[in-house]
Amino acid sequence: MTVRRTMHLAAHFPGVNNTTVWTDPRSGSQIDFSSFEHLARTAERGLFDFFFLAEGLRLREHKGRIHDLDVVGRPESLTVLNALAAVTERLGLAATVNATFNEPFELARRFATLDHLSGGRAAWNVVTSSDAFTGENFRRGGFLDRADRYTRAAEAVAAARAVWDSWTPGGEPGPFAHRGDHFDIAGEFGLPRSPQGRPVLIQAGDSDEGREFAASAADVIFTRHGTLEAGRAFYADVKRRLAAYGRRPEELKIMPGVTVVLGDTPAEARERAAEIRRRQISPATALLALEQVWGADLSGYDPDGPLPGFDPVPGAQLTQGRAGRGDALATAEKWRALAQEKGLSIRQTVIEASARQSFIGTPEEVAAELTDFVAREAADGFILVPQVTPGGLDDFVDRVVPLLQERGVFRTAYEGGTLRSHLGLAPTAPTD
């Protein structure tokens, strides 16, 4: 018999990617404050733990041209969240900020400010970059080896903590100092300890380095896994790493990013999901995805025709400003096998291989499956990524959240005012 466990939920503002169905008439602006406000208010109405914003520091390029999906814009996360603090009351506010291109003192100041203004609802999603292309915006192109990115991130977090902890819980200021390979800082902090002591730390990534970094420093890990079995394996692996850092399993929440497609019947939900996938992966998007794997100009190929017969070009990179797809040859072989097995075209293969719809069904089916994932320790909760901005979360909040509450696996009211209280995490102290 599975154990009933409380579920955590968060909302991700889709940002710039092909998750969003741009052709949907309900799709709105990625820049207008009203879009951020609508999604945040919906998440708070649904009693979600937090609202999550991604970050993009440079427009991506593919074959030397700006990537079409980037031109809609991506405002700076902390600026948006400071504004949202004024129109929400309990919802956590999580900003993605790069540890490679920001300084610990300034990060500490900006997140402490958000934590004060929001009454203790701030979170920092710590991301890293060794990308020289992005680094050109900061005149740091190529200065950081990929192997050092998590080393710098861990030190950035440690240095920021030294700044946050320089004020005592009693309100007395004091000096801070951190000396390491990447940072050598000392001084005094102009803000007292914020309501949470330190903002919640989130880490996004599935690599071995990312898992270890999350086990050592994070409160939440934002991940992706498509099956219950993969989720359980990831969950067990990350949780077992915590003991090496003197931490308990409940001190790190594992929350994969997921999408949901609802229908009044299972058949309707499947039909809607298939239509969404077709609209997400246009013929042009399918060829772009193919070129990212093969590392070659495939503009002459028919998206409704077969995959290329030649192997990917070793080491080729046509897209700059985004993470690669890993082993290109392994990916190509996997796609070929899939296409051959099911008789798929290029576009159909990309649609099937890159499917992001995690939960598809009636509200009752989705609620049951989400509950099962948490009960069987494949996740502690979920970060929902809607396909439409800004109203894509409305149906889930209206139709699925009440069913989760009836099952006794999700809150019926906020019990505290801080994000740490929503997550069941203790306030931090300088001695942590």
Side-chain angles (χ1 to χ4, degrees), residues 399-420:
R399 304 179 68 187
V400 178
V401 167
L403 298 176
L404 296 173
Q405 293 169 331
E406 288 177 11
R407 288 172 170 270
V409 298
F410 190 64
R411 66 172 63 92
T412 57
Y414 286 117
E415 296 181 2
T418 69
L419 177 52
R420 287 189 176 276

Side-chain angles (χ1 to χ4, degrees), residues 132-168:
F133 175 75
T134 300
E136 290 176 358
N137 278 354
F138 301 88
R139 290 295 179 259
R140 293 180 179 176
F143 87 103
L144 184 66
D145 289 337
R146 182 174 177 81
D148 293 334
R149 60 195 182 115
Y150 278 114
T151 302
R152 179 184 168 99
E155 193 175 321
V157 169
R161 283 177 166 173
V163 175
W164 289 322
D165 291 350
S166 61
W167 282 66
T168 70

Side-chain angles (χ1 to χ4, degrees), residues 5 228 231-236 371-380:
R5 301 171 63 230
L228 177 67
R232 295 189 70 189
F234 180 90
Y235 190 99
T371 301
D372 189 51
F373 262 65
V374 173
R376 297 180 64 183
E377 297 188 338
D380 292 309

Side-chain angles (χ1 to χ4, degrees), residues 261-293:
V261 179
L262 300 176
D264 291 334
T265 66
E268 181 184 314
R270 290 193 298 271
E271 184 178 337
R272 287 190 63 196
E275 176 60 23
I276 287 171
R277 292 300 296 145
R278 287 192 292 269
R279 295 170 74 179
Q280 288 173 326
I281 307 294
S282 67
T285 298
L287 284 181
L288 183 147
L290 199 71
E291 290 178 337
Q292 289 175 343
V293 174

Side-chain angles (χ1 to χ4, degrees), residues 57-406:
L57 296 179
R58 180 167 179 175
L59 296 177
R60 294 167 292 175
E61 293 181 9
H62 182 71
K63 296 190 294 189
R65 299 181 61 186
I66 297 298
H67 190 274
D68 287 348
L69 296 182
D70 276 5
V71 298
V72 297
R74 184 179 287 180
E76 196 277 322
S77 297
L78 277 164
T79 304
V80 174
L81 295 180
N82 277 308
L84 288 177
V87 297
T88 55
E89 296 180 358
R90 300 290 188 92
L91 184 69
L93 303 168
T96 302
V97 182
N98 199 300
T100 303
F101 301 115
N102 288 279
E103 297 299 316
F105 179 85
E106 186 61 18
L107 288 168
R109 188 166 70 108
R110 291 162 67 194
F111 278 101
T113 298
L114 176 60
D115 210 46
H116 276 291
L117 292 179
S118 65
R121 297 186 278 137
W124 173 18
N125 178 38
V126 185
V127 295
T128 65
S129 177
S130 59
D131 179 16
F133 175 75
T134 300
E136 290 176 358
N137 278 354
F138 301 88
R139 290 295 179 259
R140 293 180 179 176
F143 87 103
L144 184 66
D145 289 337
R146 182 174 177 81
D148 293 334
R149 60 195 182 115
Y150 278 114
T151 302
R152 179 184 168 99
E155 193 175 321
V157 169
R161 283 177 166 173
V163 175
W164 289 322
D165 291 350
S166 61
W167 282 66
T168 70
E172 296 296 325
F176 67 82
H178 173 88
R179 291 179 172 84
D181 293 335
H182 293 275
F183 306 106
D184 184 354
I185 61 173
E188 295 181 352
F189 192 39
L191 285 172
R193 287 181 67 79
S194 62
Q196 294 186 112
R198 301 173 194 152
V200 167
L201 290 180
I202 303 172
Q203 194 275 328
D206 292 342
S207 69
D208 188 71
E209 290 174 310
R211 297 181 191 200
E212 200 66 28
F213 178 52
S216 69
D219 302 302
V220 175
I221 184 166
F222 175 38
T223 182
R224 174 185 294 180
H225 43 68
T227 66
L228 177 67
E229 293 73 22
R232 295 189 70 189
F234 180 90
Y235 190 99
D237 177 61
V238 173
K239 295 283 187 173
R240 71 168 176 78
R241 297 175 187 241
L242 292 165
Y245 300 97
R247 305 181 68 195
R248 300 184 303 277
E250 63 270 20
E251 293 181 50
L252 175 63
K253 309 302 180 184
I254 297 176
M255 300 179 67
V258 302
T259 59
V260 171
V261 179
L262 300 176
D264 291 334
T265 66
E268 181 184 314
R270 290 193 298 271
E271 184 178 337
R272 287 190 63 196
E275 176 60 23
I276 287 171
R277 292 300 296 145
R278 287 192 292 269
R279 295 170 74 179
Q280 288 173 326
I281 307 294
S282 67
T285 298
L287 284 181
L288 183 147
L290 199 71
E291 290 178 337
Q292 289 175 343
V293 174
W294 260 260
D297 183 350
L298 302 175
S299 55
Y301 277 71
D302 180 1
D304 294 321
L307 271 66
F310 63 90
D311 289 338
V313 179
Q317 186 175 359
L318 298 185
T319 302
Q320 297 191 80
R322 64 165 294 161
R325 291 181 177 268
D327 187 332
L329 181 58
T331 300
E333 290 175 347
K334 179 180 178 181
W335 286 16
R336 283 171 177 158
L338 178 64
Q340 183 175 2
E341 177 190 353
K342 298 189 176 183
L344 304 178
S345 67
I346 289 172
R347 185 183 180 198
Q348 290 169 332
T349 301
V350 174
I351 286 174
E352 182 135 348
S354 59
R356 298 176 180 177
Q357 294 159 342
S358 309
F359 298 95
I360 300 168
T362 65
E364 293 78 10
E365 288 175 327
V366 169
E369 195 171 2
L370 292 172
T371 301
D372 189 51
F373 262 65
V374 173
R376 297 180 64 183
E377 297 188 338
D380 292 309
F382 307 93
I383 298 177
L384 273 74
V385 186
Q387 291 102 355
V388 175
T389 303
L393 201 62
D394 294 9
D395 279 353
F396 183 89
V397 168
D398 292 336
R399 304 179 68 187
V400 178
V401 167
L403 298 176
L404 296 173
Q405 293 169 331
E406 288 177 11

